[in-house]
Structures are given as structure tokens and as C-alpha cells.
Amino acid sequence: MSETTDLIIVGGGISGASLLYTVAKFTDVDDVTLIEKEREIAAINSDRTNNSQTLHFGDIETNYTLEKAEEVKEGAELLAGYLEGTDPDREMHSKRSKMVLGVGDEEVTKLEERYHDEGFGDLFPKLREIGREEIADLEPKVVEGRDRSTELKALQTPDGYVVDYGAVAESFVDAAREEAGVGVHLGTAVENVDEGRDGFTVETDDGDFEADAVVVAAGSHSLQFAKEMGYGEHMSLLPVAGSFFLADDLLNGKVYTLQMKKLPFAAVHGDADVHDDGVTRFGPTAKLVPALERGRLSTVSDFADVFGFSPASVLSYANILSDRILFPYVVRNLVYDLPEVGKRAFLPNVQKVVPTVDVDDIERAKGYGGVRPQIVDTKNKELDMGEAKITGDGILFNITPSPGASTALKNAMTDVQTVLDFFDADYEFDEAAFRDATIENFPRADAEPEPTAADAGETDDDRVAAEADD
């Protein structure tokens, strides 16, 4: 016997959890069901060990254009506002200094142009230009041991949100469960989605579910489901696995390096772990893998389903990987995974941030790193730099590469409108209440004090003690 509901969300990562939260708390949809194949919410790419724990605003990500940064900024502020309102004890996040570092005349000039001429200083009022002395105040190890004749500048902001996205996803689901008509099925694998005259049947290993509308928010697997149903034929995926290296307590906050704009992958950066500021992570690397999930051989065949081995897919991969910038980058990242040789090859990336680090100071973070799906447009034979949404009649497929976690609530807000259209305007979305619970809590520039060196390395205990003194 089938279970009947109005809306089914497939996938319990940060994207699916965000949508469940938004539908349950801010719409009058009667029944919504989330189905997740893992036994825990956010067990794959949203887990804190499988991503960079960064809330991307677009302020220090130098591969973002101003237009891209404007898109990402609102999404980040929505999530930051949610964290400010629901996580005052910072169990799901930390807030630290964040900067992008320019080393040498050429990089310093690029930062200055970005800040003054390209409009990033205007778009981000909290973003400041700082020189060697202020950098040293906030991040001593960044300046220590560096040649004094080398030009040094950074764009710095206090909005360095370090986020446990798995914990945030769990909080979304917990909040949604407070509402009537919400069902959550964990450890339930979706085997097929069938479209009928009166809606959809979602077949799982624990029975069937009937619904009027479906949203598939299953990361890389979303395109797999889409293709099985005849959607997304002009698309493929380039799965990129990110890895990290660990060191002892070297940084107080986040320190990014400049990035070539043509690369879709995050620039190497160093930052303190969200739950342990005594550990500094450096990365991510970006290794191409023929699988949809890191370390799971069973998903190799899933990748084959998505890739399709069509002439268009093969030619698209050949065109992308033959790029004179991307190909050497891919080869270097393969080397980083080799024992001993890998960390020696990666060391210069770390030393650009912390010059005094030696090869014995870093080690590979075993068991860390997820898979970020980069979308391939097989019609134009190129990478599509952004998230993809495939919309059918009553069904939506959401594929969210980086910064999908940062913009999860903004994507949910967009997806809610699509879902409500599926129901022919029978239901409504209370956007004002949604914004009150999220972005309205985000601290604006005129309400936030300038950061100090003490703030950059302030621990939760320090903050509690200071508040007690007040």
C-alpha cells in the first residue's frame, strides 16, 4: 500500500533540508515528505568533513565576477541570518576574520583593481583593504618569515562564517518536523520515479509513495534521475573530488589565495576547523573521479548513467580537459593524492599562506572530502559555471555544485515558487516571515564593530567570559 502526500523531496542534504524547512514553516502545503537513502541527514557532501565549511558571500572569492557575487551575496546573507537567529551559542558555526591575500606586485594590483575599479568595495561595505601590519595583527603566521621586500595586501572582512552544513541541515529538518503533515524517511533508497496521469509514484526499497509533485535534490544523482525520466539530455557531469591537508593551530580565521578566473574550483585556502580552532585545514584539491560519491565504487555505474558515453559527452570532455589552463591543473591535483610525493607537491600552496610551514607540518586529512558536480553542457561542449535546475510538469531536479550550500536557502526560496506553481496557486508562501527568520537577522555594516586581533582568534570561552563581564 502506497503512502500519499502532496510533495516529495528526494535527498536529505543541505539543499533538500532547506527546501523541507521552507515549505513546512512558510507555506500552507498540507503534507510534505522527505526521503533520504542514508540513515542520517546530510551524511554525504553536506557532512562537515566533506566540504570547505565556508559560507561564500562572493567578497573574497576572486573567481567570481561582480554579477556572480551579487547573486551569491543574498543567499549567503539568508543563511548567515538564520545562523545568527538560531545558533547564538555557535554550535553549528563560528564567525572569524576572513581575507583574500595578494602576494607580490601583480596580485596586489589585482586586488586593488577588484576593490576599487570592479565594484567589490561598494558591494561589500564590510570589506576593507589592509596592509602588512594589519594582516600581521589578525594572522601573525601569514606574515612571519615572509620576505619584507615582497608586496603584501589583503581584502578582509569580519564575515568569515565557518559552517557545519550537516548540523545546519539537521536543524532545518528538526524545525520542519515541528509542523503537522511533515514526514521524514531515512535509510530509504529511491529506486525509481514514475510519472503518471495523476501525479508521481516514488518507488523505494521500503515501499511506494504517491505525490502530486516531486523535487529531486540529490546532488549528482539528481541528473541521473532526470535522465532516467527523459530530462537533461544535453547535460553531463564532471565530478570533482576535493581533499584537504591538516596542520596544527596556524590561523585564526580564513585566508584565501587569488584564483584564476577560468577555473571553476575554489582557490586553495587555509582556515581553522569549525569545531576545533586548534586544527588548520588547507585545500581543497580538485581531482576528477569517475563516481558520483567519494569512496563508493557502487556510484561508478551511476556516473556512467550520467555520462552516457555519447559522442557529445566524449567530445565535451575532450574539449574541456584539453584547455591549456585546466589540463595542467587537473594533472597537478592528481599528484597531490600520491603518498609523500603528494604533500611535497602541495606544500607551496600552503607556504603561500603560511611561509614557515614545512612538509612535516602537514598531513593528508584521511576520510575528508566530497564530490562536487560540475555541470557539462554537451550542446556547447563546455562547463556550465553554476547550479542547474531542470523543470518538468510537476517535477523539479536540482543539481547544486559549489556554492550550493551557501545559497541553499535562496535556492529553496526559488524552488518554493516553482513548487507552488505545480499546485496551480492553491497554496501560498509567506516570504515576509521567511525573511524575518533569516536575512533580517544578518548584521549589517553599520551595526558591526571593526575587528581586532583579539577578535580574530577569540574562542567561544573568551566570548562567554567577556559577556559575563558585561
Side-chain angles (χ1 to χ4, degrees):
M1 185 173 178
S2 300
E3 182 173 327
T4 302
T5 185
D6 294 318
L7 171 67
I8 289 174
I9 301 169
V10 179
I14 187 72
S15 294
S18 299
L19 181 58
L20 179 72
Y21 165 76
T22 305
V23 171
K25 302 292 283 189
F26 305 106
T27 78
D28 52 353
V29 172
D30 295 318
D31 293 286
V32 55
T33 297
L34 183 140
I35 303 174
E36 165 57 44
K37 67 184 178 71
E38 302 298 322
R39 295 190 179 278
E40 297 178 354
I41 291 295
I44 305 178
N45 288 335
S46 299
D47 183 87
R48 68 180 183 83
T49 62
N50 292 340
N51 54 73
S52 65
Q53 303 179 355
T54 299
L55 183 55
H56 295 281
F57 285 79
D59 43 10
I60 66 167
E61 292 82 6
T62 51
N63 60 323
Y64 286 11
T65 63
L66 188 66
E67 292 73 23
K68 175 73 171 178
E70 287 174 335
E71 293 175 11
V72 171
K73 180 174 181 283
E74 184 187 32
E77 290 178 356
L78 285 163
L79 187 53
Y82 174 83
L83 291 168
E84 294 285 354
T86 62
D87 190 32
D89 296 329
R90 299 190 180 179
E91 295 178 352
M92 297 186 292
H93 82 291
S94 295
K95 191 176 180 185
R96 302 169 182 151
S97 168
K98 177 179 69 172
M99 67 180 71
V100 55
L101 184 68
V103 180
D105 294 344
E106 183 178 346
E107 290 191 354
V108 167
T109 298
K110 286 181 179 179
L111 282 187
E112 291 172 343
E113 291 174 348
R114 184 174 182 83
Y115 186 78
H116 295 285
D117 302 334
E118 297 178 22
F120 283 83
D122 295 328
L123 181 61
F124 297 99
K126 298 182 195 176
L127 195 63
R128 304 182 305 132
E129 278 186 298
I130 62 174
R132 183 182 292 265
E133 289 187 6
E134 282 191 89
I135 295 171
D137 286 341
L138 292 166
E139 296 289 358
K141 293 290 186 182
V142 170
V143 176
E144 183 181 315
R146 199 180 293 273
D147 188 343
R148 293 234 15 126
S149 66
T150 302
E151 276 291 310
L152 205 62
K153 179 167 282 192
L155 301 183
Q156 186 271 344
T157 171
D159 286 340
Y161 286 83
V162 191
V163 182
D164 182 339
Y165 285 107
V168 175
E170 288 180 10
S171 78
F172 285 151
V173 173
D174 289 343
R177 278 175 155 161
E178 295 172 355
E179 306 299 320
V182 174
V184 177
H185 296 263
L186 302 179
T188 305
V190 174
E191 297 172 342
N192 185 51
V193 181
D194 183 53
E195 185 175 359
R197 291 177 57 186
D198 299 320
F200 296 86
T201 300
V202 176
E203 301 169 5
T204 79
D205 60 1
D206 192 34
D208 294 350
F209 295 79
E210 307 283 345
D212 296 320
V214 174
V215 176
V216 182
S220 302
H221 293 282
S222 293
L223 184 57
Q224 183 184 17
F225 281 112
K227 287 199 166 189
E228 288 174 354
M229 297 183 69
Y231 297 96
E233 293 301 320
H234 68 289
M235 299 171 66
S236 184
L237 291 179
L238 191 72
V240 180
S243 297
F244 297 89
F245 288 84
L246 301 182
D248 290 335
D249 183 9
L250 295 174
L251 297 173
N252 295 318
K254 287 183 173 290
V255 182
Y256 267 64
T257 56
L258 264 74
Q259 181 173 340
M260 288 183 288
K261 292 185 178 180
K262 194 165 187 179
L263 292 176
F265 318 117
V268 170
H269 55 276
D271 46 22
D273 185 84
V274 61
H275 294 307
D276 186 355
D277 56 13
V279 174
T280 302
R281 303 199 315 172
F282 291 95
T285 65
K287 181 180 70 173
L288 303 186
V289 293
L292 297 189
E293 294 178 31
R294 186 74 174 269
R296 293 190 175 181
L297 291 176
S298 61
T299 65
V300 173
S301 61
D302 296 333
F303 168 70
D305 292 341
V306 172
F307 183 66
F309 294 98
S310 66
S313 292
V314 173
L315 288 172
S316 296
Y317 267 62
N319 183 56
I320 292 166
L321 296 178
S322 64
D323 182 88
R324 64 183 182 86
I325 293 175
L326 187 58
F327 181 73
Y329 178 83
V330 168
V331 172
R332 282 198 307 274
N333 277 265
L334 289 174
V335 174
Y336 296 151
D337 266 4
L338 298 176
E340 291 304 316
V341 174
K343 69 176 187 176
R344 291 184 181 277
F346 189 74
L347 183 61
N349 296 292
V350 179
Q351 290 175 330
K352 186 167 186 179
V353 179
V354 181
T356 56
V357 169
D358 188 71
V359 69
D360 293 331
D361 297 328
I362 61 173
E363 61 180 15
R364 174 170 294 285
K366 295 179 181 178
Y368 281 54
V371 171
R372 299 165 304 224
Q374 300 296 324
I375 299 159
V376 176
D377 179 346
T378 58
K379 185 181 295 184
N380 296 314
K381 300 178 177 56
E382 61 186 16
L383 284 176
D384 187 350
M385 306 293 193
E387 71 274 357
K389 297 180 189 294
I390 304 171
T391 305
D393 186 9
I395 190 165
L396 172 65
F397 304 91
N398 227 331
I399 310 160
T400 50
S402 179
S406 298
T407 57
L409 282 175
K410 184 175 182 178
N411 287 335
M413 185 168 60
T414 302
D415 292 346
V416 159
Q417 299 291 357
T418 302
V419 167
L420 297 190
D421 287 343
F422 292 158
F423 292 109
D424 297 324
D426 290 340
Y427 302 108
E428 294 183 349
F429 171 46
D430 190 344
E431 184 175 340
F434 173 80
R435 289 184 173 275
D436 282 342
T438 57
I439 200 167
E440 292 302 322
N441 298 311
F442 177 67
R444 299 294 163 184
D446 56 359
E448 182 136 348
E450 288 293 318
T452 65
D455 292 333
E458 181 184 56
T459 66
D460 288 340
D461 290 340
D462 294 333
R463 186 173 57 256
V464 170
E467 290 169 354
D469 290 339
D470 291 340

Coordinates of all heavy atoms in Angstrom, one line a residue, residues 103-174:
V103 N 49.9 38.4 -2.9 CA 51.3 38.3 -2.6 C 52.1 38.8 -3.9 O 51.9 38.1 -4.9 CB 51.8 36.9 -2.2 CG1 53.3 36.8 -1.9 CG2 51.0 36.4 -1.0
G104 N 52.9 39.8 -3.8 CA 53.6 40.3 -4.9 C 52.9 41.4 -5.6 O 51.7 41.6 -5.5
D105 N 53.6 42.2 -6.4 CA 53.1 43.4 -7.1 C 51.9 43.1 -8.0 O 50.9 43.8 -7.9 CB 54.2 44.0 -8.0 CG 55.3 44.6 -7.1 OD1 55.1 44.7 -5.9 OD2 56.4 44.8 -7.7
E106 N 52.0 42.0 -8.7 CA 50.9 41.7 -9.7 C 49.6 41.3 -8.9 O 48.5 41.8 -9.3 CB 51.3 40.5 -10.6 CG 50.2 40.1 -11.6 CD 50.7 39.0 -12.5 OE1 51.9 38.6 -12.5 OE2 49.8 38.4 -13.2
E107 N 49.7 40.5 -7.9 CA 48.5 40.1 -7.2 C 47.9 41.3 -6.4 O 46.7 41.5 -6.3 CB 48.7 38.9 -6.2 CG 49.0 37.6 -7.0 CD 49.0 36.4 -6.1 OE1 48.9 36.6 -4.8 OE2 49.1 35.3 -6.6
V108 N 48.8 42.1 -5.8 CA 48.3 43.3 -5.1 C 47.6 44.2 -6.0 O 46.5 44.8 -5.6 CB 49.5 44.0 -4.4 CG1 49.1 45.4 -3.9 CG2 50.0 43.2 -3.2
T109 N 48.1 44.4 -7.2 CA 47.4 45.3 -8.2 C 46.0 44.7 -8.5 O 45.0 45.5 -8.6 CB 48.2 45.4 -9.4 OG1 49.5 46.0 -9.1 CG2 47.5 46.2 -10.5
K110 N 45.9 43.4 -8.7 CA 44.6 42.8 -9.0 C 43.6 43.0 -7.9 O 42.4 43.3 -8.1 CB 44.8 41.3 -9.2 CG 45.5 40.9 -10.6 CD 45.6 39.4 -10.7 CE 46.2 39.1 -12.1 NZ 46.3 37.6 -12.3
L111 N 44.1 42.9 -6.6 CA 43.2 43.1 -5.5 C 42.7 44.6 -5.5 O 41.5 44.8 -5.2 CB 43.9 42.8 -4.2 CG 44.0 41.3 -3.8 CD1 44.5 41.2 -2.4 CD2 42.7 40.6 -3.9
E112 N 43.6 45.5 -5.7 CA 43.3 46.9 -5.7 C 42.2 47.2 -6.8 O 41.3 47.9 -6.6 CB 44.5 47.8 -5.9 CG 45.5 47.7 -4.7 CD 46.8 48.4 -4.9 OE1 47.1 48.6 -6.1 OE2 47.5 48.7 -3.9
E113 N 42.4 46.7 -8.0 CA 41.5 46.9 -9.1 C 40.1 46.3 -8.7 O 39.1 46.8 -9.0 CB 42.1 46.2 -10.4 CG 43.3 47.0 -10.9 CD 43.9 46.3 -12.1 OE1 43.5 45.1 -12.4 OE2 44.7 46.8 -12.8
R114 N 40.2 45.1 -8.1 CA 38.9 44.4 -7.8 C 38.1 45.2 -6.8 O 36.9 45.4 -6.9 CB 39.3 43.0 -7.2 CG 38.1 42.2 -6.9 CD 38.5 40.8 -6.4 NE 37.4 39.9 -6.1 CZ 36.7 39.2 -7.1 NH1 37.0 39.3 -8.3 NH2 35.7 38.4 -6.7
Y115 N 38.8 45.8 -5.8 CA 38.2 46.5 -4.7 C 37.7 47.9 -5.2 O 36.5 48.2 -4.9 CB 39.2 46.7 -3.6 CG 38.6 47.3 -2.3 CD1 37.8 46.6 -1.5 CD2 38.8 48.7 -2.1 CE1 37.2 47.2 -0.3 CE2 38.3 49.3 -0.9 CZ 37.5 48.5 -0.1 OH 36.9 49.1 1.1
H116 N 38.5 48.6 -5.9 CA 38.2 50.0 -6.3 C 37.4 50.1 -7.7 O 36.4 50.8 -7.8 CB 39.4 50.8 -6.4 CG 40.1 51.0 -5.0 ND1 39.6 51.8 -4.0 CD2 41.2 50.5 -4.5 CE1 40.3 51.8 -3.0 NE2 41.3 51.0 -3.2
D117 N 38.0 49.4 -8.7 CA 37.5 49.6 -10.0 C 36.4 48.6 -10.4 O 35.5 49.0 -11.2 CB 38.7 49.4 -11.1 CG 39.8 50.4 -10.8 OD1 39.5 51.4 -10.2 OD2 41.0 50.0 -11.1
E118 N 36.4 47.4 -9.9 CA 35.4 46.4 -10.3 C 34.1 46.5 -9.4 O 33.2 45.8 -9.7 CB 36.0 45.0 -10.3 CG 37.1 44.9 -11.3 CD 37.8 43.5 -11.2 OE1 37.1 42.5 -10.7 OE2 38.9 43.3 -11.6
G119 N 34.2 47.3 -8.4 CA 32.9 47.5 -7.6 C 32.8 46.6 -6.4 O 31.7 46.7 -5.7
F120 N 33.7 45.8 -6.0 CA 33.6 44.9 -4.9 C 33.6 45.6 -3.5 O 32.9 45.2 -2.6 CB 34.6 43.8 -4.9 CG 34.3 42.7 -5.9 CD1 34.7 42.8 -7.2 CD2 33.7 41.5 -5.5 CE1 34.4 41.9 -8.1 CE2 33.4 40.6 -6.4 CZ 33.7 40.7 -7.7
G121 N 34.3 46.7 -3.5 CA 34.3 47.6 -2.3 C 32.9 48.2 -2.0 O 32.5 48.3 -0.9
D122 N 32.2 48.5 -3.1 CA 30.9 49.1 -2.9 C 29.9 48.0 -2.6 O 29.0 48.3 -1.8 CB 30.5 49.8 -4.2 CG 31.4 51.0 -4.5 OD1 31.8 51.7 -3.6 OD2 31.6 51.3 -5.7
L123 N 30.0 46.9 -3.2 CA 29.0 45.8 -3.0 C 29.1 45.2 -1.6 O 28.1 44.9 -1.0 CB 29.2 44.7 -4.0 CG 28.3 43.5 -3.9 CD1 26.8 43.9 -4.2 CD2 28.7 42.4 -5.0
F124 N 30.3 45.2 -1.0 CA 30.5 44.6 0.3 C 31.1 45.7 1.3 O 32.3 45.9 1.4 CB 31.5 43.5 0.3 CG 31.0 42.3 -0.6 CD1 31.4 42.1 -1.9 CD2 30.1 41.4 0.0 CE1 30.9 41.1 -2.6 CE2 29.6 40.3 -0.8 CZ 30.0 40.2 -2.1
P125 N 30.2 46.4 2.0 CA 30.6 47.5 2.8 C 31.6 47.1 3.9 O 32.4 48.0 4.4 CB 29.3 48.1 3.4 CG 28.3 47.6 2.5 CD 28.7 46.3 1.9
K126 N 31.6 45.9 4.4 CA 32.5 45.4 5.5 C 33.8 45.1 5.0 O 34.8 44.8 5.8 CB 31.9 44.2 6.2 CG 30.5 44.5 6.9 CD 30.1 43.3 7.6 CE 28.6 43.3 8.0 NZ 28.2 42.1 8.6
L127 N 34.0 45.0 3.6 CA 35.3 44.6 3.1 C 36.3 45.7 3.1 O 36.0 46.8 2.7 CB 35.1 44.1 1.6 CG 36.2 43.3 0.9 CD1 36.4 42.0 1.6 CD2 35.9 43.1 -0.5
R128 N 37.5 45.4 3.7 CA 38.5 46.5 3.8 C 39.8 46.1 3.2 O 40.2 44.9 3.2 CB 38.8 46.8 5.3 CG 37.6 47.1 6.2 CD 38.0 47.4 7.6 NE 38.8 46.3 8.2 CZ 39.9 46.4 8.8 NH1 40.5 47.6 9.0 NH2 40.5 45.4 9.3
E129 N 40.5 47.1 2.7 CA 41.9 46.9 2.3 C 42.8 47.0 3.5 O 42.7 47.9 4.3 CB 42.3 48.0 1.3 CG 41.9 47.8 -0.1 CD 42.6 48.9 -1.0 OE1 42.2 50.1 -0.8 OE2 43.3 48.6 -1.9
I130 N 43.7 46.0 3.7 CA 44.6 46.1 4.8 C 46.0 45.7 4.3 O 46.2 44.9 3.4 CB 44.2 45.2 6.0 CG1 44.2 43.7 5.6 CG2 42.8 45.6 6.6 CD1 43.9 42.7 6.7
G131 N 47.0 46.3 4.9 CA 48.4 46.1 4.6 C 49.1 45.1 5.5 O 48.4 44.5 6.4
R132 N 50.4 45.0 5.4 CA 51.2 44.0 6.1 C 51.0 44.1 7.6 O 50.8 43.0 8.3 CB 52.7 44.2 5.8 CG 53.6 43.2 6.4 CD 55.0 43.6 6.1 NE 55.3 43.4 4.7 CZ 55.8 42.2 4.2 NH1 56.1 41.2 5.0 NH2 56.0 42.1 2.9
E133 N 50.9 45.3 8.2 CA 50.8 45.4 9.7 C 49.5 44.9 10.2 O 49.4 44.1 11.2 CB 51.0 46.8 10.1 CG 52.5 47.3 10.0 CD 52.7 48.7 10.6 OE1 51.8 49.2 11.2 OE2 53.8 49.2 10.4
E134 N 48.4 45.2 9.5 CA 47.1 44.7 10.0 C 46.9 43.3 9.7 O 46.3 42.5 10.5 CB 46.0 45.5 9.3 CG 45.7 46.9 9.8 CD 44.5 47.5 9.3 OE1 43.4 47.3 9.9 OE2 44.6 48.2 8.3
I135 N 47.5 42.8 8.6 CA 47.5 41.3 8.3 C 48.2 40.6 9.5 O 47.7 39.6 10.0 CB 48.2 41.0 7.0 CG1 47.4 41.6 5.8 CG2 48.3 39.5 6.8 CD1 48.1 41.5 4.5
A136 N 49.3 41.1 9.9 CA 50.1 40.5 11.0 C 49.3 40.5 12.3 O 49.4 39.6 13.1 CB 51.4 41.2 11.1
D137 N 48.6 41.6 12.5 CA 47.7 41.7 13.7 C 46.7 40.6 13.8 O 46.5 39.9 14.8 CB 47.0 43.0 13.8 CG 48.0 44.1 14.2 OD1 49.1 43.8 14.8 OD2 47.7 45.3 14.0
L138 N 46.0 40.4 12.6 CA 45.0 39.4 12.5 C 45.5 37.9 12.3 O 45.0 37.0 12.9 CB 44.0 39.7 11.4 CG 43.2 41.0 11.5 CD1 42.6 41.4 10.2 CD2 42.1 40.8 12.6
E139 N 46.5 37.8 11.5 CA 47.1 36.5 11.2 C 48.6 36.5 11.2 O 49.3 36.7 10.2 CB 46.6 36.1 9.8 CG 45.1 35.9 9.6 CD 44.6 34.6 10.4 OE1 45.4 33.9 11.0 OE2 43.3 34.4 10.3
P140 N 49.2 36.4 12.4 CA 50.7 36.5 12.5 C 51.4 35.6 11.6 O 52.5 35.9 11.1 CB 50.9 36.3 14.0 CG 49.6 36.6 14.7 CD 48.5 36.2 13.7
K141 N 50.9 34.3 11.5 CA 51.7 33.3 10.8 C 51.7 33.6 9.2 O 52.6 33.1 8.5 CB 51.1 32.0 11.0 CG 51.2 31.4 12.4 CD 52.6 31.1 12.7 CE 52.8 30.4 14.1 NZ 54.2 30.1 14.4
V142 N 50.8 34.4 8.8 CA 50.8 34.8 7.4 C 52.0 35.7 7.0 O 52.5 35.6 5.9 CB 49.5 35.5 7.0 CG1 49.5 36.1 5.6 CG2 48.3 34.5 7.1
V143 N 52.4 36.5 8.0 CA 53.5 37.5 7.7 C 54.8 36.9 8.2 O 55.9 37.2 7.6 CB 53.2 38.8 8.4 CG1 54.3 39.8 8.3 CG2 51.9 39.4 7.9
E144 N 54.8 36.1 9.2 CA 56.0 35.6 9.8 C 56.9 34.8 8.8 O 56.4 34.0 8.1 CB 55.7 34.6 11.0 CG 56.8 34.1 11.7 CD 56.4 33.1 12.8 OE1 55.4 33.5 13.6 OE2 57.0 32.0 13.0
G145 N 58.2 35.2 8.7 CA 59.1 34.5 7.8 C 59.0 34.9 6.4 O 59.7 34.4 5.5
R146 N 58.1 35.9 6.1 CA 57.9 36.3 4.7 C 58.9 37.4 4.3 O 59.2 38.3 5.2 CB 56.5 36.8 4.4 CG 56.1 36.8 3.0 CD 54.7 37.3 2.8 NE 53.7 36.4 3.4 CZ 53.1 35.3 2.7 NH1 53.5 35.1 1.4 NH2 52.2 34.6 3.2
D147 N 59.5 37.4 3.1 CA 60.4 38.4 2.7 C 59.8 39.8 2.8 O 58.7 40.1 2.2 CB 60.8 38.1 1.3 CG 62.0 39.0 0.8 OD1 62.2 40.1 1.4 OD2 62.6 38.7 -0.3
R148 N 60.4 40.7 3.5 CA 59.8 42.1 3.7 C 59.8 42.9 2.4 O 59.0 43.8 2.3 CB 60.6 42.8 4.8 CG 60.5 42.2 6.1 CD 60.1 43.1 7.2 NE 59.5 44.4 6.9 CZ 58.4 44.8 7.5 NH1 57.6 43.9 8.2 NH2 57.9 45.9 7.3
S149 N 60.5 42.5 1.4 CA 60.5 43.2 0.2 C 59.3 42.8 -0.7 O 59.1 43.4 -1.7 CB 61.8 43.0 -0.6 OG 62.0 41.7 -1.0
T150 N 58.6 41.8 -0.3 CA 57.5 41.3 -1.1 C 56.3 42.1 -0.8 O 55.9 42.2 0.4 CB 57.2 39.8 -0.8 OG1 58.4 39.0 -1.2 CG2 56.0 39.3 -1.7
E151 N 55.6 42.7 -1.8 CA 54.4 43.4 -1.6 C 53.3 42.5 -1.0 O 53.2 41.3 -1.4 CB 53.9 44.0 -2.9 CG 54.5 45.3 -3.3 CD 54.1 46.5 -2.3 OE1 52.9 46.6 -2.1 OE2 55.0 47.2 -1.8
L152 N 52.5 43.0 0.0 CA 51.5 42.2 0.6 C 50.3 43.1 0.9 O 50.4 44.2 1.4 CB 52.1 41.7 1.9 CG 51.5 40.4 2.5 CD1 51.7 39.2 1.6 CD2 52.1 40.1 3.9
K153 N 49.2 42.6 0.5 CA 47.9 43.3 0.8 C 46.8 42.2 0.9 O 46.9 41.1 0.3 CB 47.6 44.3 -0.3 CG 46.3 45.0 -0.1 CD 46.2 46.2 -1.0 CE 47.0 47.4 -0.5 NZ 46.7 48.7 -1.2
A154 N 45.7 42.6 1.6 CA 44.6 41.7 1.7 C 43.3 42.5 1.7 O 43.3 43.6 2.0 CB 44.7 40.8 3.0
L155 N 42.2 41.8 1.2 CA 40.9 42.3 1.4 C 40.3 41.5 2.5 O 40.2 40.3 2.4 CB 40.1 42.2 0.1 CG 40.6 42.9 -1.2 CD1 39.7 42.7 -2.3 CD2 40.9 44.4 -0.9
Q156 N 39.9 42.2 3.6 CA 39.5 41.5 4.8 C 38.1 41.9 5.2 O 37.6 43.0 5.0 CB 40.5 41.8 5.9 CG 40.3 41.1 7.2 CD 39.3 41.8 8.2 OE1 39.0 43.0 8.0 NE2 38.8 41.1 9.1
T157 N 37.4 40.9 5.8 CA 36.0 41.2 6.3 C 35.8 40.4 7.6 O 36.4 39.3 7.7 CB 35.0 40.8 5.2 OG1 33.7 40.8 5.8 CG2 35.2 39.4 4.7
P158 N 34.9 40.8 8.5 CA 34.6 40.1 9.7 C 33.6 38.9 9.4 O 33.4 38.1 10.3 CB 34.0 41.1 10.6 CG 33.4 42.1 9.7 CD 34.3 42.2 8.5
D159 N 33.0 38.9 8.2 CA 32.0 37.9 7.8 C 32.6 36.6 7.4 O 32.3 36.0 6.4 CB 31.1 38.4 6.7 CG 30.1 39.5 7.3 OD1 29.9 39.5 8.5 OD2 29.6 40.2 6.4
G160 N 33.5 36.0 8.3 CA 34.1 34.7 8.0 C 33.3 33.6 8.7 O 33.8 33.1 9.7
Y161 N 32.2 33.3 8.1 CA 31.3 32.3 8.7 C 31.9 30.9 8.3 O 32.1 30.6 7.2 CB 29.9 32.4 8.2 CG 29.1 33.5 8.8 CD1 29.3 34.8 8.3 CD2 28.3 33.3 9.9 CE1 28.5 35.9 8.8 CE2 27.6 34.4 10.4 CZ 27.7 35.7 9.9 OH 27.0 36.7 10.4
V162 N 32.2 30.1 9.4 CA 32.7 28.8 9.2 C 31.5 27.9 9.6 O 31.0 28.0 10.8 CB 33.9 28.5 10.1 CG1 34.5 27.1 9.7 CG2 34.9 29.6 9.9
V163 N 31.0 27.0 8.8 CA 29.7 26.4 9.0 C 29.8 24.9 8.9 O 30.4 24.3 8.0 CB 28.7 26.9 7.9 CG1 27.3 26.3 8.1 CG2 28.6 28.4 7.9
D164 N 29.2 24.2 9.9 CA 28.9 22.8 9.8 C 27.6 22.6 9.1 O 26.5 22.6 9.7 CB 28.9 22.2 11.3 CG 28.7 20.7 11.3 OD1 28.2 20.2 10.3 OD2 29.0 20.1 12.3
Y165 N 27.7 22.4 7.8 CA 26.5 22.3 7.0 C 25.6 21.1 7.3 O 24.4 21.1 7.2 CB 26.8 22.3 5.5 CG 27.2 23.7 5.0 CD1 28.6 24.0 4.7 CD2 26.3 24.7 4.9 CE1 28.9 25.3 4.3 CE2 26.6 26.0 4.4 CZ 28.0 26.3 4.1 OH 28.3 27.5 3.7
G166 N 26.3 20.0 7.8 CA 25.5 18.9 8.2 C 24.6 19.2 9.4 O 23.4 18.8 9.5
A167 N 25.2 19.9 10.4 CA 24.4 20.3 11.6 C 23.3 21.3 11.2 O 22.2 21.2 11.7 CB 25.3 21.0 12.6
V168 N 23.6 22.2 10.2 CA 22.5 23.1 9.8 C 21.4 22.4 9.1 O 20.2 22.6 9.4 CB 23.1 24.2 8.8 CG1 22.0 25.1 8.2 CG2 24.2 25.0 9.5
A169 N 21.7 21.4 8.3 CA 20.7 20.6 7.6 C 19.8 19.9 8.6 O 18.6 19.8 8.5 CB 21.3 19.6 6.6
E170 N 20.5 19.3 9.7 CA 19.7 18.7 10.7 C 18.8 19.6 11.4 O 17.6 19.3 11.8 CB 20.7 18.0 11.7 CG 21.4 16.8 11.2 CD 22.3 16.2 12.2 OE1 22.3 16.7 13.4 OE2 23.1 15.3 11.9
S171 N 19.2 20.9 11.6 CA 18.4 21.9 12.3 C 17.2 22.2 11.4 O 16.1 22.5 12.0 CB 19.2 23.1 12.7 OG 19.4 24.0 11.5
F172 N 17.4 22.3 10.1 CA 16.3 22.5 9.2 C 15.2 21.4 9.3 O 14.0 21.7 9.4 CB 16.8 22.6 7.8 CG 17.5 23.9 7.4 CD1 18.5 23.9 6.4 CD2 17.2 25.1 8.0 CE1 19.1 25.0 6.1 CE2 17.8 26.2 7.7 CZ 18.8 26.2 6.7
V173 N 15.7 20.2 9.3 CA 14.8 19.1 9.4 C 14.0 19.0 10.8 O 12.8 18.8 10.8 CB 15.5 17.7 9.2 CG1 14.6 16.5 9.4 CG2 16.0 17.7 7.7
D174 N 14.8 19.3 11.8 CA 14.2 19.3 13.2 C 13.1 20.4 13.2 O 12.0 20.2 13.8 CB 15.2 19.6 14.2 CG 16.1 18.4 14.5 OD1 15.8 17.3 14.0 OD2 17.2 18.6 15.0

